[in-house]
Amino acid sequence: MRKSMSRQANAIKRMSHKEIILHLYLTQLVLLALSIFLAFVLFDDYSSFKSLWKLNIDVFFIGGTVALVVIVVDLLLAKWLPEELLDDGGINKRMFQELGIVHILFVCFLISFTEELLFRGILQTHFGLYTASIVFALLHVRYLYKWVLLLSVVVLSFLLGVVYELTDNLWITIFTHFLIDFVFAVKLRIEYVKSLS
């Protein structure tokens, strides 16, 4: 397993930025297609699926508050822990550093929408919090040998799952996920631009 992780890291290093973005879009397309298929199979009717989506002030208040807590904790971890414990192999840096802000906004929304639709809206709704959270953590396979990153992903997945359980509103977890990804993607972009000057 460690060898395959090393091969994956080396393959990513050899990829161009365009190839990384293409793979990102293809992955999200596959997740979206899988979500649509599973929604047709698992939901009894459209109204039960529609009931997951409630666009109201709670989306911004609850979603923003949870995102802010996660962002602060992540920034504190980055300050206190050695850099090698938080190193994801550079994939996030390679993915976001060359994107413009509008593109980052779109990519972060796409990721949060497709992942929350699949993991919270489909898997958690039908198979429960634990199943959805475990599958979500396994999707981030590149973190398996980085215990801090793996623990962070597992805790975040459970947190998003609990928020979904308590609110029964998919837009809240989508907004939370989006805001976390967007803040850290913009941070990577800013650090990259500063390094060029």
Side-chain angles (χ1 to χ4, degrees):
M1 182 73 161
R2 224 178 251 278
K3 285 183 182 178
S4 69
M5 297 298 290
S6 178
R7 273 186 261 134
Q8 180 188 24
N10 288 331
I12 289 168
K13 285 178 185 171
R14 288 191 303 268
M15 292 170 72
S16 70
H17 182 255
K18 285 184 180 181
E19 289 172 319
I20 290 172
I21 296 302
L22 177 64
H23 282 267
L24 168 74
Y25 279 122
L26 289 174
T27 301
Q28 297 308 311
L29 186 63
V30 168
L31 292 180
L32 186 59
L34 180 61
S35 297
I36 292 167
F37 171 75
L38 289 174
F40 276 110
V41 170
L42 296 172
F43 283 94
D44 293 332
D45 52 38
Y46 176 70
S47 63
S48 60
F49 177 73
K50 187 181 170 191
S51 70
L52 305 177
W53 308 85
K54 300 170 191 84
L55 193 55
N56 54 39
I57 194 69
D58 288 346
V59 170
F60 304 103
F61 180 71
I62 296 171
T65 302
V66 173
L68 182 62
V69 169
V70 171
I71 290 165
V72 168
V73 168
D74 275 2
L75 289 172
L76 289 173
L77 287 175
K79 185 176 181 176
W80 294 335
L81 294 176
E83 192 175 323
E84 61 270 9
L85 288 179
L86 302 171
D87 179 22
D88 72 343
I91 184 67
N92 288 332
K93 188 182 285 186
R94 298 256 342 263
M95 191 179 316
F96 290 113
Q97 69 185 5
E98 294 182 36
L99 296 181
I101 298 298
V102 174
H103 199 171
I104 289 172
L105 190 79
F106 177 76
V107 166
C108 289
F109 178 75
L110 178 65
I111 292 169
S112 61
F113 183 87
T114 56
E115 290 186 3
E116 292 307 311
L117 173 60
L118 178 60
F119 296 106
R120 254 47 75 185
I122 308 293
L123 295 180
Q124 186 169 332
T125 297
H126 294 282
F127 303 106
L129 171 62
Y130 296 108
T131 301
S133 295
I134 290 167
V135 174
F136 182 84
L138 290 175
L139 179 73
H140 295 81
V141 68
R142 69 184 187 270
Y143 296 158
L144 284 180
Y145 291 102
K146 298 286 187 170
W147 70 269
V148 173
L149 294 177
L150 181 62
L151 184 62
S152 295
V153 167
V154 169
V155 169
L156 177 61
S157 182
F158 273 100
L159 177 63
L160 290 171
V162 169
V163 169
Y164 179 65
E165 289 280 318
L166 294 174
T167 63
D168 200 30
N169 187 347
L170 198 53
W171 279 120
I172 292 176
T173 61
I174 290 170
F175 184 67
T176 304
H177 193 153
F178 162 77
L179 206 52
I180 294 164
D181 286 357
F182 182 70
V183 166
F184 286 108
V186 169
K187 182 177 178 288
L188 290 171
R189 171 66 181 166
I190 290 170
E191 288 168 356
Y192 175 69
V193 170
K194 282 182 180 177
S195 75
L196 296 178
S197 42

